[in-house]
Amino acid sequence: MFSLILFVVVIVCSVSNLLVPEQSIFYVSTYTITLLGKYLCFALLALSVDVVWGYCGVLSLGHGAFFALGGYGMGMYLMRQVGDRGVYGNPDLPDFMVFLDWTELPWYWFGMDQFWFAIAMAIFIPGLLAFVFGWLAFRSRVTGVYLSIMTQALTYALMLAFFRNEMGFGGNNGLTDFKEILHFDLQSNETRVGLFFLSALVLIIALLLSQKIMKSRFGRVVISIRDGESRARFLGYVTDHYKVALFVYSAVLAAFAGVLYVPQVGIINPSEFSPINSIEVVVWVAVGGRGTLYGAAVGALLVNYAKTKFTAVLPDGWLFALGALFVGVTLYLPNGIVGFFEQRISFLKGDSSRELDSFEVKDKKSVSEVEV
């Protein structure tokens, strides 16, 4: 239902931008389209966190790293498309390299002028990093707050590294001043609407795929690991492999979000690695509803819309408002907005088994299915 509603809204907004006159009250501005596209990218990022946190119990505070790495992959491709239209007119080197007196393109920029290769690298590198990190962490049975701190340290280390000009990624300023993507002008309304529609399409596909995974035997095993990893291991499951596979899958989703985010906002810089950004994603998931998938997307859309409105009125107070929101949700809506409504609906239908905690009962059922 959520996917259908989202698809309809995207179609209506796209048509209202391209076919409705600007003087009409039904016209949706290009600025609004870009803003909504950014929200959809954040929704995909929130979904990636919910996959590992809500269903596997792995609280990652470093998914911003995978998001940013995917964004940098797309940013490198967009920078190579600028060519001699940059400030310094160098057809081979991006402007920041010319400014820093670089004489040749670094080896890791080779091939990034090809769209397919850039996208492949933007997905492969975060996935590889997630695999290596997950394999080392889960094999060592690092869990709980220790794992969360390690993921936060990972994204912080990457942020410090990308701030350095020697890394060849634009340093503090990052990558910006993009011109086109696949020969389409990034400033045109049609391109903006196309990216907006593509963001929605990828989010819907990710939602449906994640739901299918979680309803499969693999998903039931993952939930069982979350509820009782020792018990699942005793039953013969190699829990490390399941956790690594799910962690890599979530990292790939986050990387896709970064890939779609950069051409719409027009910039990618090291601030995207900031641990605060990863913590914000956790708040989105908690607000929407952990362990519901589409609840994470709803939370991202609602919180980011509130952030846009709140920062326009009181910019310095947003972090305080975000903290208060998280505390309030934790105390009064532990299952998030979507979880709350699911409980009420179940109660009205007379399903007393889910009256107190539908999430918990659902998980117990999954554990029994795996045992059988």
Side-chain angles (χ1 to χ4, degrees):
M1 180 61 71
F2 173 80
S3 298
L4 179 60
I5 294 174
L6 176 62
F7 184 77
V8 171
V9 170
V10 169
I11 292 296
V12 171
C13 290
S14 300
V15 171
S16 298
N17 176 264
L18 296 176
L19 301 181
V20 176
E22 293 187 19
Q23 297 77 14
S24 174
I25 59 174
F26 299 106
Y27 174 74
V28 177
S29 67
T30 303
Y31 168 79
T32 302
I33 291 292
T34 302
L35 192 63
L36 293 175
K38 184 175 73 170
Y39 291 168
L40 293 178
C41 296
F42 288 153
L44 181 58
L45 176 58
L47 172 65
S48 72
V49 173
D50 191 31
V51 165
V52 292
W53 185 33
Y55 288 88
C56 197
V58 176
L59 177 56
S60 172
L61 298 180
H63 261 55
F66 308 127
F67 175 81
L69 287 173
Y72 265 99
M74 172 56 75
M76 293 168 72
Y77 164 76
L78 296 175
M79 287 299 293
R80 293 299 309 273
Q81 299 308 299
V82 174
D84 57 5
R85 290 172 293 177
V87 175
Y88 297 99
N90 192 306
D92 299 319
L93 299 181
D95 284 339
F96 73 88
M97 292 186 183
V98 178
F99 178 78
L100 294 173
D101 294 328
W102 289 47
T103 58
E104 58 183 11
L105 201 66
W107 63 267
Y108 45 85
W109 278 76
F110 293 157
M112 299 304 287
D113 56 335
Q114 301 296 319
F115 182 78
W116 68 270
F117 183 79
I119 296 300
M121 289 297 101
I123 303 303
F124 174 75
I125 297 301
L128 178 62
L129 177 63
F131 175 78
V132 173
F133 178 86
W135 178 259
L136 294 175
F138 298 137
R139 193 178 183 186
S140 302
R141 299 187 181 179
V142 179
T143 59
V145 65
Y146 301 105
L147 180 64
S148 300
I149 292 174
M150 287 177 62
T151 57
Q152 193 173 47
L154 172 67
T155 187
Y156 187 70
L158 287 171
M159 182 186 71
L160 294 179
F162 274 73
F163 264 119
R164 297 175 59 88
N165 289 327
E166 296 82 358
M167 286 288 291
F169 295 106
N172 183 57
N173 296 324
L175 309 177
T176 188
D177 195 27
F178 309 132
K179 306 296 184 183
E180 61 182 35
I181 179 171
L182 292 174
H183 305 296
F184 292 101
D185 183 10
L186 280 174
Q187 305 305 319
S188 69
N189 291 351
E190 292 79 7
T191 305
R192 294 285 181 175
V193 170
L195 290 169
F196 171 57
F197 183 83
L198 182 61
S199 299
L201 182 62
V202 172
L203 175 59
I204 292 173
I205 293 174
L207 274 170
L208 297 177
L209 179 60
S210 299
Q211 288 173 348
K212 185 176 180 62
I213 290 174
M214 294 310 163
K215 290 179 180 178
S216 67
R217 181 177 178 83
F218 176 88
R220 295 197 297 271
V221 173
V222 165
I223 294 175
S224 300
I225 292 172
R226 182 199 63 193
D227 293 339
E229 184 172 359
S230 298
R231 187 178 182 184
R233 191 182 295 114
F234 178 76
L235 291 172
Y237 292 99
V238 184
T239 59
D240 303 344
H241 294 177
Y242 285 90
K243 293 166 75 173
V244 169
L246 192 67
F247 195 68
V248 171
Y249 171 71
S250 69
V252 168
L253 291 182
F256 267 114
V259 168
L260 293 167
Y261 173 81
V262 170
Q264 296 185 81
V265 300
I267 188 173
I268 178 71
N269 58 44
S271 65
E272 297 296 341
F273 286 101
S274 174
I276 295 178
N277 292 352
S278 296
I279 294 173
E280 276 198 45
V281 180
V282 173
V283 176
W284 304 343
V285 177
V287 169
R290 181 165 68 100
T292 59
L293 294 180
Y294 73 94
V298 170
L301 296 174
L302 291 177
V303 174
N304 280 285
Y305 176 78
K307 180 179 181 179
T308 300
K309 295 299 182 181
F310 193 93
T311 52
V313 178
L314 192 62
D316 296 332
W318 168 244
L319 289 180
F320 297 100
L322 185 67
L325 177 65
F326 183 69
V327 172
V329 167
T330 303
L331 292 177
Y332 302 107
L333 292 175
N335 293 323
I337 296 174
V338 171
F340 172 79
F341 282 108
E342 283 186 348
Q343 286 184 6
R344 296 307 97 193
I345 292 173
S346 298
F347 176 73
L348 292 176
K349 288 181 178 179
D351 187 358
S352 59
S353 66
R354 296 186 64 181
E355 179 179 350
L356 296 178
D357 195 342
S358 59
F359 191 60
E360 180 180 354
V361 173
K362 179 176 65 176
D363 298 339
K364 290 180 179 177
K365 179 181 177 182
S366 301
V367 174
S368 64
E369 288 177 351
V370 172
E371 282 190 69
V372 174

